[in-house]
Amino acid sequence: MSPRPPTVSRRRSISDPLAFALLPPPNETPAEREQRLRREAEAKKVNDDIDDMLKAERAAQKKRKEVKILLLGQSESGKSTTLKQFQIIHAHSQFQAERSAWRAVIYLNLVRSVRRILDAITLDESDEESPYGGPRSPTALLPATRQRLPELATLKLRLSPIIAIEEQLIQQLACSEENDTRIMLPPRQGSPEFGQRGSGEISVRTGVNWKQAFAKFKGKRPTGEGNILPRNDPNDPIHVLHACADDMNTLWNSPLIKDILQQRRIRLEESSGFYLNEITRITDLNYVPSDDDVLKARLKTVGVVEHSFSLDKGTEKGVDWKIYDVGGARNQRQAWAPYFEDVNAIIFLAPISAFDQVLSEDPNVNRLEDSLLLWRNIVSNKLLQKVHLVLFLNKCDLLQMKLDNGVMLNQHMTSYGDRPNDYDSVSRYFRNKFAALHQSFSPNQDREAYIHLTCVTDTRKTSEVITNVRDIILKENLKDSRLI
Protein backbone atom coordinates (compact mmCIF):
# COMPACT_ATOMS: atom_id res chain seq x y z
CA MET A 1 0.00 0.00 0.00
CA SER A 2 1.40 3.38 -1.02
CA PRO A 3 1.73 6.12 1.72
CA ARG A 4 -1.00 8.75 1.94
CA PRO A 5 -0.05 12.24 0.68
CA PRO A 6 0.74 14.92 3.35
CA THR A 7 -2.55 16.73 2.94
CA VAL A 8 -2.52 18.09 6.55
CA SER A 9 0.71 20.09 6.13
CA ARG A 10 -0.49 21.40 2.76
CA ARG A 11 -3.75 22.63 4.30
CA ARG A 12 -1.78 24.31 7.11
CA SER A 13 0.48 26.05 4.61
CA ILE A 14 -2.41 27.25 2.49
CA SER A 15 -4.26 28.44 5.61
CA ASP A 16 -1.30 30.76 6.38
CA PRO A 17 -1.90 33.96 4.30
CA LEU A 18 1.81 34.78 4.14
CA ALA A 19 2.78 31.29 3.06
CA PHE A 20 0.00 31.30 0.51
CA ALA A 21 1.16 34.65 -0.88
CA LEU A 22 4.71 33.32 -1.25
CA LEU A 23 3.66 30.28 -3.25
CA PRO A 24 4.82 30.40 -6.86
CA PRO A 25 2.04 31.23 -9.29
CA PRO A 26 0.42 28.24 -10.99
CA ASN A 27 1.66 27.30 -14.44
CA GLU A 28 4.87 29.35 -13.89
CA THR A 29 7.29 29.02 -16.81
CA PRO A 30 11.05 28.54 -16.26
CA ALA A 31 11.72 32.11 -17.48
CA GLU A 32 9.11 33.57 -15.12
CA ARG A 33 10.56 31.55 -12.25
CA GLU A 34 14.04 32.94 -12.95
CA GLN A 35 12.73 36.53 -12.94
CA ARG A 36 10.82 35.94 -9.70
CA LEU A 37 13.85 34.51 -7.93
CA ARG A 38 15.96 37.44 -9.16
CA ARG A 39 13.44 39.95 -7.77
CA GLU A 40 13.30 38.13 -4.44
CA ALA A 41 17.09 38.13 -4.21
CA GLU A 42 17.24 41.87 -4.93
CA ALA A 43 14.55 42.57 -2.31
CA LYS A 44 16.41 40.47 0.26
CA LYS A 45 19.64 42.36 -0.47
CA VAL A 46 17.89 45.73 0.08
CA ASN A 47 16.41 44.46 3.33
CA ASP A 48 19.79 43.14 4.51
CA ASP A 49 21.45 46.47 3.65
CA ILE A 50 18.85 48.34 5.72
CA ASP A 51 19.41 45.97 8.66
CA ASP A 52 23.18 46.48 8.41
CA MET A 53 22.76 50.27 8.29
CA LEU A 54 20.51 50.26 11.38
CA LYS A 55 23.00 48.07 13.25
CA ALA A 56 25.82 50.44 12.32
CA GLU A 57 23.83 53.45 13.50
CA ARG A 58 23.04 51.75 16.81
CA ALA A 59 26.70 50.86 17.26
CA ALA A 60 27.78 54.43 16.45
CA GLN A 61 25.20 55.84 18.88
CA LYS A 62 26.58 53.65 21.64
CA LYS A 63 30.05 55.09 20.99
CA ARG A 64 28.81 58.72 21.22
CA LYS A 65 29.48 60.56 24.43
CA GLU A 66 26.76 62.68 26.08
CA VAL A 67 27.70 65.63 28.27
CA LYS A 68 25.04 67.28 30.43
CA ILE A 69 25.53 70.79 31.80
CA LEU A 70 23.29 72.46 34.36
CA LEU A 71 23.07 76.26 34.53
CA LEU A 72 22.34 77.32 38.10
CA GLY A 73 22.04 80.62 39.94
CA GLN A 74 19.45 83.00 41.35
CA SER A 75 16.88 84.69 39.14
CA GLU A 76 18.34 87.23 36.70
CA SER A 77 21.91 86.06 37.26
CA GLY A 78 22.59 85.59 33.54
CA LYS A 79 21.67 81.92 32.98
CA SER A 80 19.40 82.51 29.98
CA THR A 81 21.95 84.87 28.43
CA THR A 82 24.64 82.20 28.83
CA LEU A 83 22.36 79.71 27.09
CA LYS A 84 21.90 82.22 24.23
CA GLN A 85 25.69 82.49 23.95
CA PHE A 86 25.92 78.72 23.53
CA GLN A 87 23.32 79.02 20.76
CA ILE A 88 25.26 81.79 19.01
CA ILE A 89 28.40 79.63 19.00
CA HIS A 90 26.88 76.26 18.15
CA ALA A 91 23.45 76.92 16.57
CA HIS A 92 23.72 80.37 15.06
CA SER A 93 21.29 79.72 12.19
CA GLN A 94 18.55 78.82 14.68
CA PHE A 95 19.43 81.88 16.75
CA GLN A 96 19.11 84.08 13.66
CA ALA A 97 15.75 82.55 12.73
CA GLU A 98 14.29 83.55 16.11
CA ARG A 99 15.15 87.24 15.85
CA SER A 100 11.68 88.26 14.72
CA ALA A 101 10.20 86.97 17.98
CA TRP A 102 12.89 88.67 20.06
CA ARG A 103 12.13 92.01 18.40
CA ALA A 104 8.69 91.97 20.06
CA VAL A 105 10.28 91.06 23.42
CA ILE A 106 12.69 93.99 23.05
CA TYR A 107 9.75 96.31 22.38
CA LEU A 108 8.00 94.91 25.46
CA ASN A 109 11.12 95.47 27.59
CA LEU A 110 11.37 99.06 26.35
CA VAL A 111 7.73 99.99 26.95
CA ARG A 112 7.73 98.38 30.40
CA SER A 113 10.75 100.50 31.35
CA VAL A 114 8.82 103.60 30.23
CA ARG A 115 5.79 102.32 32.12
CA ARG A 116 7.83 102.04 35.32
CA ILE A 117 8.93 105.66 34.95
CA LEU A 118 5.34 106.79 34.35
CA ASP A 119 4.24 104.89 37.45
CA ALA A 120 7.06 106.47 39.45
CA ILE A 121 5.82 110.00 38.71
CA THR A 122 2.31 109.11 39.88
CA LEU A 123 1.56 110.03 43.48
CA ASP A 124 -0.26 107.63 45.79
CA GLU A 125 -0.89 107.18 49.51
CA SER A 126 2.76 106.26 50.16
CA ASP A 127 3.75 109.84 49.33
CA GLU A 128 1.48 111.32 51.99
CA GLU A 129 2.78 112.47 55.33
CA SER A 130 2.54 110.05 58.22
CA PRO A 131 0.45 111.11 61.25
CA TYR A 132 3.66 110.66 63.24
CA GLY A 133 5.65 112.95 60.98
CA GLY A 134 7.75 112.28 57.89
CA PRO A 135 6.82 110.25 54.77
CA ARG A 136 4.87 107.00 54.93
CA SER A 137 7.39 105.12 52.77
CA PRO A 138 11.18 105.22 52.19
CA THR A 139 10.39 105.45 48.46
CA ALA A 140 8.23 108.55 48.90
CA LEU A 141 9.07 111.65 46.88
CA LEU A 142 10.45 114.72 48.60
CA PRO A 143 8.01 117.64 48.96
CA ALA A 144 10.06 119.80 46.58
CA THR A 145 9.95 117.03 43.96
CA ARG A 146 6.20 116.56 44.35
CA GLN A 147 5.66 120.25 43.64
CA ARG A 148 7.45 119.88 40.29
CA LEU A 149 5.42 116.91 39.03
CA PRO A 150 2.97 119.12 37.04
CA GLU A 151 5.91 119.91 34.75
CA LEU A 152 5.68 116.31 33.50
CA ALA A 153 1.91 116.19 32.99
CA THR A 154 1.94 117.04 29.29
CA LEU A 155 4.78 114.62 28.58
CA LYS A 156 2.98 111.88 30.48
CA LEU A 157 -0.17 112.48 28.42
CA ARG A 158 1.72 112.29 25.13
CA LEU A 159 3.19 108.96 26.18
CA SER A 160 -0.18 107.39 27.02
CA PRO A 161 -0.20 105.37 23.73
CA ILE A 162 2.73 103.41 25.17
CA ILE A 163 0.33 101.76 27.64
CA ALA A 164 -1.80 100.46 24.76
CA ILE A 165 1.31 99.02 23.07
CA GLU A 166 2.24 97.23 26.29
CA GLU A 167 -1.23 95.69 26.48
CA GLN A 168 -1.08 94.71 22.79
CA LEU A 169 2.23 92.88 23.23
CA ILE A 170 1.08 91.15 26.42
CA GLN A 171 -2.14 90.01 24.77
CA GLN A 172 -0.18 88.72 21.78
CA LEU A 173 2.03 86.74 24.15
CA ALA A 174 -0.99 85.38 26.02
CA CYS A 175 -2.98 84.79 22.83
CA SER A 176 -4.46 81.53 24.09
CA GLU A 177 -5.17 79.75 27.35
CA GLU A 178 -2.75 77.04 26.27
CA ASN A 179 0.13 79.47 26.67
CA ASP A 180 -0.67 79.77 30.39
CA THR A 181 1.21 83.08 30.44
CA ARG A 182 1.74 84.41 33.92
CA ILE A 183 1.49 88.20 34.07
CA MET A 184 2.37 90.21 37.16
CA LEU A 185 1.64 93.94 37.07
CA PRO A 186 4.17 96.40 38.52
CA PRO A 187 3.72 96.90 42.28
CA ARG A 188 2.56 100.23 43.66
CA GLN A 189 5.00 102.68 45.18
CA GLY A 190 4.08 101.83 48.76
CA SER A 191 4.70 98.09 48.47
CA PRO A 192 8.00 96.50 49.59
CA GLU A 193 8.62 95.23 46.06
CA PHE A 194 8.37 98.66 44.43
CA GLY A 195 11.58 99.58 42.65
CA GLN A 196 13.21 96.22 43.24
CA ARG A 197 14.89 94.20 40.56
CA GLY A 198 12.48 92.10 38.57
CA SER A 199 9.30 93.57 40.03
CA GLY A 200 6.34 93.32 37.71
CA GLU A 201 7.99 90.74 35.46
CA ILE A 202 6.11 88.80 32.83
CA SER A 203 6.87 85.11 32.79
CA VAL A 204 5.96 82.20 30.52
CA ARG A 205 6.05 78.50 31.21
CA THR A 206 8.57 76.31 29.45
CA GLY A 207 7.01 74.40 26.59
CA VAL A 208 4.95 77.44 25.65
CA ASN A 209 5.74 78.48 22.11
CA TRP A 210 5.82 82.21 22.81
CA LYS A 211 8.06 82.68 19.78
CA GLN A 212 5.21 81.47 17.61
CA ALA A 213 2.91 83.95 19.36
CA PHE A 214 5.29 86.74 18.38
CA ALA A 215 5.92 85.34 14.87
CA LYS A 216 3.66 87.94 13.26
CA PHE A 217 6.26 90.60 14.04
CA LYS A 218 8.62 89.65 11.26
CA GLY A 219 11.19 92.43 11.43
CA LYS A 220 13.32 91.05 8.58
CA ARG A 221 14.71 92.70 5.54
CA PRO A 222 13.21 91.29 2.32
CA THR A 223 14.81 88.02 1.27
CA GLY A 224 11.95 86.62 -0.76
CA GLU A 225 8.27 86.68 -1.45
CA GLY A 226 6.02 87.04 1.58
CA ASN A 227 8.52 88.90 3.77
CA ILE A 228 6.93 92.09 5.10
CA LEU A 229 8.90 94.94 6.62
CA PRO A 230 7.49 96.24 9.94
CA ARG A 231 6.96 99.71 8.45
CA ASN A 232 4.55 98.17 5.89
CA ASP A 233 2.40 96.47 8.55
CA PRO A 234 -0.09 99.01 9.97
CA ASN A 235 -0.66 96.88 13.08
CA ASP A 236 3.02 96.63 13.99
CA PRO A 237 3.82 98.40 17.29
CA ILE A 238 6.83 100.09 15.71
CA HIS A 239 4.61 102.89 14.35
CA VAL A 240 3.50 104.05 17.80
CA LEU A 241 6.98 103.56 19.25
CA HIS A 242 8.54 105.55 16.41
CA ALA A 243 6.03 108.38 16.93
CA CYS A 244 6.75 108.45 20.68
CA ALA A 245 10.55 108.16 20.38
CA ASP A 246 11.32 111.85 20.98
CA ASP A 247 9.05 111.96 24.02
CA MET A 248 10.61 108.79 25.43
CA ASN A 249 14.08 110.29 25.01
CA THR A 250 12.92 113.51 26.69
CA LEU A 251 11.46 111.52 29.59
CA TRP A 252 14.54 109.39 30.12
CA ASN A 253 17.05 112.27 29.85
CA SER A 254 15.10 114.62 32.14
CA PRO A 255 17.08 115.63 35.28
CA LEU A 256 13.79 115.70 37.18
CA ILE A 257 13.14 112.06 36.19
CA LYS A 258 16.63 111.09 37.37
CA ASP A 259 15.86 112.62 40.79
CA ILE A 260 12.49 110.86 40.98
CA LEU A 261 13.97 107.46 40.15
CA GLN A 262 16.68 107.96 42.74
CA GLN A 263 14.12 108.86 45.41
CA ARG A 264 11.97 105.88 44.39
CA ARG A 265 15.08 103.66 44.54
CA ILE A 266 14.55 102.49 40.98
CA ARG A 267 17.72 101.57 39.05
CA LEU A 268 16.62 100.68 35.56
CA GLU A 269 20.19 100.62 34.21
CA GLU A 270 20.94 97.53 36.28
CA SER A 271 17.95 95.52 35.11
CA SER A 272 17.88 93.06 32.23
CA GLY A 273 16.07 94.27 29.16
CA PHE A 274 17.37 97.83 29.50
CA TYR A 275 17.18 99.75 26.20
CA LEU A 276 16.44 103.33 27.30
CA ASN A 277 19.86 104.50 26.10
CA GLU A 278 19.09 103.18 22.60
CA ILE A 279 15.55 104.46 22.03
CA THR A 280 16.27 106.14 18.68
CA ARG A 281 17.88 103.05 17.17
CA ILE A 282 15.32 100.55 18.46
CA THR A 283 12.31 102.62 17.38
CA ASP A 284 13.63 103.06 13.85
CA LEU A 285 11.14 101.80 11.26
CA ASN A 286 13.76 99.46 9.77
CA TYR A 287 15.04 98.14 13.10
CA VAL A 288 16.40 94.58 13.10
CA PRO A 289 17.74 93.26 16.45
CA SER A 290 21.46 92.64 16.70
CA ASP A 291 22.95 89.69 18.57
CA ASP A 292 23.69 92.01 21.50
CA ASP A 293 20.07 93.21 21.54
CA VAL A 294 18.78 89.64 21.75
CA LEU A 295 21.29 88.80 24.48
CA LYS A 296 19.99 91.67 26.63
CA ALA A 297 16.30 90.86 26.04
CA ARG A 298 14.44 89.64 29.11
CA LEU A 299 11.48 87.26 29.21
CA LYS A 300 11.34 85.23 32.39
CA THR A 301 10.70 81.52 31.83
CA VAL A 302 9.19 79.33 34.55
CA GLY A 303 10.52 75.79 34.37
CA VAL A 304 13.48 74.16 32.66
CA VAL A 305 14.79 75.14 29.22
CA GLU A 306 16.85 72.52 27.37
CA HIS A 307 19.24 73.18 24.51
CA SER A 308 21.06 70.40 22.62
CA PHE A 309 23.85 70.47 20.08
CA SER A 310 26.37 68.00 18.65
CA LEU A 311 30.01 68.48 17.83
CA ASP A 312 31.70 66.22 15.32
CA LYS A 313 35.17 67.61 14.79
CA GLY A 314 38.55 67.22 16.43
CA THR A 315 38.61 65.99 20.01
CA GLU A 316 34.88 66.68 20.30
CA LYS A 317 33.88 64.27 17.54
CA GLY A 318 30.93 62.12 18.59
CA VAL A 319 29.94 64.29 21.58
CA ASP A 320 26.34 65.34 22.23
CA TRP A 321 25.83 68.27 24.60
CA LYS A 322 22.68 69.00 26.61
CA ILE A 323 22.42 72.27 28.53
CA TYR A 324 19.64 72.87 31.05
CA ASP A 325 18.65 76.36 32.20
CA VAL A 326 16.75 75.92 35.47
CA GLY A 327 14.69 78.73 37.04
CA GLY A 328 16.51 80.51 39.84
CA ALA A 329 13.66 82.12 41.80
CA ARG A 330 13.24 80.74 45.30
CA ASN A 331 10.01 78.93 44.48
CA GLN A 332 11.70 77.18 41.53
CA ARG A 333 14.84 75.87 43.21
CA GLN A 334 13.17 72.63 44.27
CA ALA A 335 13.30 71.70 40.55
CA TRP A 336 17.11 71.57 40.63
CA ALA A 337 17.50 68.27 42.51
CA PRO A 338 16.14 65.89 39.83
CA TYR A 339 18.87 67.08 37.45
CA PHE A 340 21.71 66.35 39.90
CA GLU A 341 21.68 62.60 39.30
CA ASP A 342 23.46 62.30 35.96
CA VAL A 343 24.78 65.82 35.31
CA ASN A 344 28.44 66.09 34.25
CA ALA A 345 29.10 69.75 35.01
CA ILE A 346 27.45 72.77 36.63
CA ILE A 347 27.95 76.34 35.51
CA PHE A 348 26.94 78.49 38.48
CA LEU A 349 26.32 82.18 37.87
CA ALA A 350 26.68 84.72 40.68
CA PRO A 351 25.93 88.38 39.80
CA ILE A 352 28.57 90.11 41.93
CA SER A 353 27.25 93.56 40.98
CA ALA A 354 24.21 92.82 43.18
CA PHE A 355 26.02 93.39 46.49
CA ASP A 356 23.73 96.38 47.22
CA GLN A 357 20.46 94.74 46.09
CA VAL A 358 17.89 92.47 47.74
CA LEU A 359 15.85 89.57 46.39
CA SER A 360 12.57 90.54 44.78
CA GLU A 361 11.05 87.51 46.54
CA ASP A 362 12.37 88.62 49.96
CA PRO A 363 13.51 92.22 50.52
CA ASN A 364 15.26 91.12 53.72
CA VAL A 365 17.83 88.99 51.85
CA ASN A 366 20.85 90.51 50.14
CA ARG A 367 21.30 89.12 46.62
CA LEU A 368 25.04 88.50 46.96
CA GLU A 369 24.59 86.77 50.31
CA ASP A 370 21.96 84.59 48.64
CA SER A 371 24.43 83.66 45.87
CA LEU A 372 27.09 82.78 48.43
CA LEU A 373 24.64 80.55 50.30
CA LEU A 374 23.52 78.85 47.07
CA TRP A 375 27.14 78.25 46.04
CA ARG A 376 27.92 76.75 49.45
CA ASN A 377 24.93 74.41 49.13
CA ILE A 378 26.05 73.29 45.68
CA VAL A 379 29.71 72.65 46.55
CA SER A 380 28.84 70.80 49.76
CA ASN A 381 26.23 68.52 48.18
CA LYS A 382 27.54 64.94 48.30
CA LEU A 383 25.43 63.98 45.29
CA LEU A 384 27.51 66.46 43.27
CA GLN A 385 30.96 65.58 44.58
CA LYS A 386 32.01 64.11 41.21
CA VAL A 387 30.41 66.90 39.17
CA HIS A 388 32.76 69.46 37.62
CA LEU A 389 32.08 73.00 38.80
CA VAL A 390 32.45 76.21 36.81
CA LEU A 391 31.73 79.55 38.48
CA PHE A 392 30.85 82.69 36.51
CA LEU A 393 31.24 85.79 38.69
CA ASN A 394 28.94 87.69 36.39
CA LYS A 395 27.90 91.28 35.60
CA CYS A 396 31.40 92.63 36.10
CA ASP A 397 30.55 95.59 33.85
CA LEU A 398 27.80 96.71 36.25
CA LEU A 399 30.12 96.10 39.21
CA GLN A 400 32.75 98.43 37.76
CA MET A 401 30.12 101.07 36.96
CA LYS A 402 28.85 101.02 40.55
CA LEU A 403 32.32 101.26 42.05
CA ASP A 404 33.28 104.08 39.68
CA ASN A 405 30.11 105.93 40.78
CA GLY A 406 31.22 105.76 44.39
CA VAL A 407 29.05 102.92 45.75
CA MET A 408 30.99 101.52 48.71
CA LEU A 409 31.10 97.75 49.14
CA ASN A 410 31.87 97.94 52.88
CA GLN A 411 28.54 99.68 53.47
CA HIS A 412 26.78 96.51 52.34
CA MET A 413 29.35 93.86 53.33
CA THR A 414 31.10 94.84 56.54
CA SER A 415 33.54 91.94 56.12
CA TYR A 416 35.21 93.88 53.30
CA GLY A 417 36.60 96.30 55.87
CA ASP A 418 38.77 99.19 54.72
CA ARG A 419 40.13 97.55 51.56
CA PRO A 420 40.34 99.72 48.41
CA ASN A 421 36.98 100.21 46.69
CA ASP A 422 38.34 99.72 43.15
CA TYR A 423 37.30 97.03 40.67
CA ASP A 424 40.48 94.93 40.87
CA SER A 425 40.41 94.76 44.67
CA VAL A 426 36.68 94.08 44.91
CA SER A 427 36.62 91.41 42.16
CA ARG A 428 39.62 89.68 43.74
CA TYR A 429 37.84 89.71 47.10
CA PHE A 430 34.74 88.08 45.61
CA ARG A 431 36.82 85.52 43.75
CA ASN A 432 38.67 84.52 46.94
CA LYS A 433 35.43 84.44 48.97
CA PHE A 434 33.71 82.01 46.59
CA ALA A 435 36.88 79.92 46.21
CA ALA A 436 37.21 79.65 50.00
CA LEU A 437 33.69 78.26 50.28
CA HIS A 438 34.53 75.56 47.73
CA GLN A 439 37.75 74.68 49.49
CA SER A 440 36.12 74.53 52.93
CA PHE A 441 32.89 72.70 52.14
CA SER A 442 33.54 70.48 49.12
CA PRO A 443 33.40 66.75 50.01
CA ASN A 444 35.83 66.12 47.14
CA GLN A 445 39.07 67.92 47.93
CA ASP A 446 40.59 66.83 44.61
CA ARG A 447 37.93 68.67 42.62
CA GLU A 448 38.85 72.03 41.15
CA ALA A 449 36.42 74.91 40.72
CA TYR A 450 37.05 76.87 37.53
CA ILE A 451 36.28 80.53 38.29
CA HIS A 452 35.80 83.23 35.64
CA LEU A 453 34.98 86.94 35.89
CA THR A 454 32.34 87.46 33.21
CA CYS A 455 29.95 89.79 31.50
CA VAL A 456 27.85 87.29 29.56
CA THR A 457 26.28 90.00 27.38
CA ASP A 458 29.75 90.57 25.86
CA THR A 459 29.78 88.07 22.99
CA ARG A 460 33.48 88.23 22.14
CA LYS A 461 34.78 87.71 25.68
CA THR A 462 32.07 85.22 26.62
CA SER A 463 32.74 83.17 23.49
CA GLU A 464 36.34 82.76 24.60
CA VAL A 465 35.26 81.77 28.11
CA ILE A 466 32.63 79.30 26.87
CA THR A 467 35.09 77.66 24.46
CA ASN A 468 37.60 77.29 27.27
CA VAL A 469 34.99 75.94 29.69
CA ARG A 470 33.65 73.53 27.07
CA ASP A 471 37.14 72.13 26.44
CA ILE A 472 37.81 71.76 30.17
CA ILE A 473 34.51 69.98 30.81
CA LEU A 474 35.04 67.63 27.87
CA LYS A 475 38.62 66.81 28.90
CA GLU A 476 37.66 66.14 32.51
CA ASN A 477 34.65 64.08 31.46
CA LEU A 478 36.68 61.93 29.09
CA LYS A 479 39.29 61.49 31.82
CA ASP A 480 36.58 60.30 34.22
CA SER A 481 35.40 57.85 31.55
CA ARG A 482 39.01 56.69 31.04
CA LEU A 483 38.79 57.53 27.36
CA ILE A 484 41.97 59.62 27.54
Side-chain angles (χ1 to χ4, degrees):
M1 180 182 294
S2 61
R4 297 178 61 184
T7 54
V8 175
S9 62
R10 178 172 176 79
R11 287 196 196 97
R12 184 176 300 165
S13 299
I14 293 177
S15 65
D16 184 350
L18 180 60
F20 182 77
L22 294 176
L23 288 174
N27 304 321
E28 183 181 41
T29 66
E32 290 172 340
R33 180 175 183 276
E34 184 178 351
Q35 292 178 357
R36 176 175 59 80
L37 294 176
R38 188 184 304 116
R39 289 194 301 269
E40 291 176 356
E42 291 174 353
K44 184 177 183 305
K45 184 179 184 305
V46 170
N47 187 65
D48 291 344
D49 289 344
I50 293 175
D51 287 343
D52 292 342
M53 183 175 63
L54 293 175
K55 289 179 182 178
E57 288 180 356
R58 285 194 292 267
Q61 192 64 35
K62 288 182 179 180
K63 293 181 180 179
R64 295 189 70 86
K65 184 69 178 176
E66 186 174 76
V67 177
K68 294 184 178 180
I69 301 176
L70 200 56
L71 298 177
L72 296 182
Q74 64 185 213
S75 180
E76 216 168 331
S77 59
K79 300 186 300 298
S80 297
T81 306
T82 302
L83 181 59
K84 292 177 194 174
Q85 290 284 16
F86 271 98
Q87 288 181 294
I88 289 176
I89 297 172
H90 300 295
H92 195 256
S93 58
Q94 178 186 351
F95 185 83
Q96 294 273 45
E98 296 174 350
R99 285 194 182 198
S100 59
W102 283 110
R103 183 174 69 93
V105 175
I106 292 168
Y107 289 160
L108 183 58
N109 290 163
L110 176 61
V111 299
R112 287 185 70 78
S113 294
V114 174
R115 170 68 177 268
R116 290 193 69 187
I117 297 176
L118 295 178
D119 287 347
I121 64 179
T122 302
L123 293 175
D124 67 4
E125 61 273 8
S126 68
D127 292 297
E128 300 174 1
E129 293 290 327
S130 168
Y132 307 101
R136 293 181 181 272
S137 167
T139 61
L141 296 180
L142 297 174
T145 304
R146 294 202 299 269
Q147 292 176 3
R148 295 189 59 192
L149 288 181
E151 300 175 21
L152 301 170
T154 302
L155 184 59
K156 183 177 180 180
L157 182 62
R158 289 204 301 264
L159 286 171
S160 57
I162 291 294
I163 307 303
I165 291 300
E166 179 188 26
E167 293 174 356
Q168 175 189 348
L169 290 168
I170 291 175
Q171 290 302 318
Q172 185 67 27
L173 183 62
C175 61
S176 71
E177 294 181 0
E178 295 177 357
N179 280 359
D180 194 17
T181 306
R182 297 172 45 174
I183 301 173
M184 297 173 287
L185 296 178
R188 297 179 65 82
Q189 283 93 333
S191 66
E193 297 85 4
F194 183 80
Q196 296 297 336
R197 170 202 58 82
S199 61
E201 276 197 287
I202 295 177
S203 60
V204 294
R205 290 169 51 88
T206 53
V208 172
N209 195 353
W210 63 266
K211 294 172 184 174
Q212 183 178 359
F214 278 161
K216 64 174 291 187
F217 303 115
K218 297 299 181 184
K220 300 178 183 178
R221 292 186 174 88
T223 56
E225 186 178 353
N227 242 338
I228 302 176
L229 281 171
R231 64 168 180 259
N232 296 330
D233 181 359
N235 296 318
D236 195 282
I238 187 58
H239 298 291
V240 174
L241 294 176
H242 182 72
C244 293
D246 290 342
D247 289 332
M248 285 191 285
N249 274 315
T250 300
L251 182 77
W252 173 239
N253 294 315
S254 166
L256 177 56
I257 289 296
K258 303 295 185 187
D259 290 341
I260 291 173
L261 294 179
Q262 184 176 8
Q263 293 171 37
R264 294 294 197 197
R265 300 183 182 180
I266 298 176
R267 294 179 287 193
L268 294 173
E269 301 95 327
E270 298 176 16
S271 60
S272 300
F274 174 72
Y275 299 97
L276 289 173
N277 287 336
E278 303 165 272
I279 292 173
T280 301
R281 179 177 65 86
I282 288 176
T283 58
D284 185 86
L285 292 175
N286 295 319
Y287 170 65
V288 177
S290 66
D291 285 355
D292 288 342
D293 292 338
V294 176
L295 286 171
K296 290 194 299 182
R298 171 70 174 171
L299 182 62
K300 184 178 180 180
T301 305
V302 179
V304 180
V305 179
E306 177 185 336
H307 176 63
S308 302
F309 62 91
S310 299
L311 298 177
D312 289 295
K313 60 181 180 179
T315 57
E316 298 172 342
K317 186 175 183 180
V319 179
D320 297 325
W321 295 75
K322 290 185 180 294
I323 304 176
Y324 301 93
D325 173 11
V326 187
R330 277 188 160 186
N331 60 357
Q332 297 183 61
R333 294 175 187 175
Q334 69 273 12
W336 293 7
Y339 291 86
F340 289 171
E341 185 175 347
D342 58 351
V343 67
N344 302 108
I346 289 175
I347 298 178
F348 185 91
L349 290 99
I352 55 177
S353 65
F355 66 83
D356 61 342
Q357 295 176 317
V358 296
L359 292 177
S360 60
E361 309 97 305
D362 187 347
N364 296 315
V365 178
N366 180 277
R367 286 192 67 197
L368 187 57
E369 294 291 349
D370 181 65
S371 286
L372 286 165
L373 180 60
L374 279 176
W375 174 247
R376 174 177 169 175
N377 291 339
I378 292 297
V379 301
S380 61
N381 193 315
K382 292 184 179 180
L383 294 176
L384 302 173
Q385 59 182 321
K386 294 183 179 181
V387 174
H388 306 295
L389 298 180
V390 179
L391 173 62
F392 283 7
L393 299 178
N394 196 32
K395 303 198 176 184
C396 290
D397 56 331
L398 295 179
L399 173 65
Q400 184 155 13
M401 182 180 70
K402 282 187 179 180
L403 299 175
D404 292 345
N405 289 335
V407 181
M408 303 298 294
L409 175 60
N410 59 12
Q411 294 181 2
H412 303 275
M413 297 188 71
T414 55
S415 60
Y416 189 67
D418 58 355
R419 295 178 178 88
N421 202 61
D422 60 86
Y423 171 77
D424 289 339
S425 301
V426 170
S427 60
R428 182 168 55 251
Y429 170 78
F430 285 142
R431 187 186 189 105
N432 293 338
K433 195 170 184 67
F434 278 89
L437 287 174
H438 176 263
Q439 185 174 3
S440 300
F441 294 98
S442 176
N444 181 2
Q445 292 299 311
D446 295 329
R447 177 179 60 184
E448 182 177 354
Y450 300 93
I451 303 177
H452 298 267
L453 295 168
T454 61
C455 167
V456 294
T457 56
D458 186 326
T459 299
R460 183 183 63 82
K461 293 181 180 179
T462 306
S463 176
E464 296 173 0
V465 172
I466 285 179
T467 301
N468 182 39
V469 166
R470 188 194 65 205
D471 293 343
I472 289 173
I473 292 174
L474 180 63
K475 181 178 179 181
E476 294 293 337
N477 203 50
L478 293 177
K479 186 187 300 183
D480 292 343
S481 303
R482 298 181 180 179
L483 297 179
I484 61 172

